[in-house]
Amino acid sequence: MGNCSLDFEQQKISLLNALVSMDTLSARTILTQPYDPCTPHQVVEQLVAPALEIIGEGWEKGEYSLSQVYVSGRICEELVDLILPPMHQSRRYQPKMAIAVLEDRHMLGSRVVYSALRASGFELAHYGSQTVDALAQRVEKDRIELLLVSTLMLSSALRVKRLRSLLEQSGRQVKIMVGGAPFRFDPALWQEVRADACGSSAAEAVDFAENLLKELQ
Ligand code: B12
């Protein structure tokens, strides 16, 4: 992804206000503006994600209600679907890949990562929210080589360790890349749960897939 040098501070405040007032129309107007030279992914990472984070923090402090957090998440989900670019026509030779959310209902981040990978030419499955056992079975059945796991809650993040054990029992080499809030809060967590890599953004997932592709070629 190219350089995105815009300062989103003003738009972030406007988006935040629109979201907590549940004003979909204004949120849509803010997000569908052109932000050259920034790509829609960069707009999501530098505008949408920080605005939602502030709302989440405000909820912790009692400034916003859970319904405001929920509606904000839903509005952003719809708008992110709208602004992210369509997938490329051509698909490259690549490792078999899938993304899943582990025992968690926070879907937005995984969708952003999924779209970023597809927009970068990778083909992958989105398994939705899965339990550890169901996910391990699915990965085995589909012979997945790179599994991206998104968790937004610490309790879910800790379950990646069991997922790793189950996949090891099947005897296949599966690379696990994790991401989401708990891994940002604790930078050593990904190693503790025995993941192969951790990313803090969709762009990092794309870089990791690109590097894995080079290794396999
Ligand atoms: C919006 C939101 C919700 C919405 C979700 C709407 C939806 N459809 O997704 C709703 C209201 C439903 C919700 C519910 C709950 N939530 Co909530 N929620 C959030 C909030 C504010 C923002 C999450 C978000 O969507 N961010 C925007 C997206 C784009 O960013 P992202 O998910 O971080 O993803 C980016 C990166 O992390 C990365 N990434 C993500 N996954 C992956 C994977 C890979 C492989 C890679 C490389 C990168 C990557 O790339 C993405 C794009 O940049 C966070 C706060 C936060 N700081 O994250 C809390 C937060 C995650 N929620 C929290 C909690 C506690 C809950 C509830 C338990 C609340 C309750 N009491 O009911 C429930 C649980 C629901 C469940 N079972 O899953 C806590 C978790 C705390 C913890 N330590 O476990 C948080 C951290 C808030 C807090 N600080 O307390 N929530």
Side-chain angles (χ1 to χ4, degrees):
M1 288 188 200
N3 225 357
C4 171
S5 50
L6 282 189
D7 178 6
F8 284 103
E9 205 45 43
Q10 201 51 51
Q11 281 88 354
K12 193 173 75 188
I13 294 164
S14 308
L15 179 63
L16 179 77
N17 289 335
L19 291 175
V20 295
S21 331
M22 305 184 189
D23 179 355
T24 311
L25 213 62
S26 300
R28 189 190 172 112
T29 308
I30 295 161
L31 282 181
T32 49
Q33 277 175 40
Y35 288 106
D36 292 341
C38 303
T39 64
H41 286 112
Q42 288 166 330
V43 173
V44 171
E45 293 198 339
Q46 295 186 32
L47 182 56
V48 179
L52 280 174
E53 214 158 294
I54 297 172
I55 296 172
E57 283 162 15
W59 168 54
E60 276 179 84
K61 292 186 211 143
E63 291 163 4
Y64 301 125
S65 66
L66 186 59
S67 63
Q68 281 174 306
V69 183
Y70 178 74
V71 174
S72 303
R74 297 298 305 194
I75 293 175
C76 288
E77 246 184 278
E78 273 184 44
L79 293 176
V80 165
D81 275 351
L82 190 77
I83 64 170
L84 280 178
M87 58 177 177
H88 284 184
Q89 294 301 312
S90 59
R91 294 275 165 235
R92 327 166 171 183
Y93 164 75
Q94 53 176 247
K96 277 206 92 181
M97 289 162 55
I99 186 163
V101 176
L102 200 60
E103 302 193 5
D104 199 318
R105 292 279 153 203
H106 295 89
M107 300 302 289
L108 189 54
S110 71
R111 293 219 177 132
V112 175
V113 175
Y114 172 77
S115 323
L117 281 161
R118 290 187 63 126
S120 307
F122 289 98
E123 187 59 78
L124 75 161
H126 196 312
Y127 290 160
S129 177
Q130 295 280 330
T131 62
V132 173
D133 293 73
L135 181 57
Q137 280 171 23
R138 190 113 183 235
V139 165
E140 175 61 11
K141 182 170 154 276
D142 294 350
R143 311 198 69 74
I144 295 299
E145 295 166 278
L146 171 57
L147 178 66
L148 298 127
V149 179
S150 182
T151 67
L152 269 280
M153 300 205 304
L154 181 60
S155 51
S156 316
L158 294 171
R159 293 195 185 110
V160 173
K161 200 168 182 174
R162 198 170 112 73
L163 176 68
R164 164 64 82 202
S165 305
L166 287 179
L167 292 175
E168 270 174 357
Q169 282 166 26
S170 75
R172 283 189 50 253
Q173 287 284 317
V174 182
K175 294 258 188 224
I176 302 180
M177 184 184 206
V178 292
F183 299 105
R184 285 207 314 270
F185 297 157
D186 177 356
L189 185 62
W190 67 275
Q191 284 160 314
E192 281 166 35
V193 299
R194 302 184 54 229
D196 294 294
C198 177
S200 61
S201 66
E204 287 183 25
V206 174
D207 288 346
F208 187 76
E210 304 257 9
N211 287 334
L212 187 62
L213 188 67
K214 281 187 208 136
E215 268 175 42
L216 294 175
Q217 275 166 348

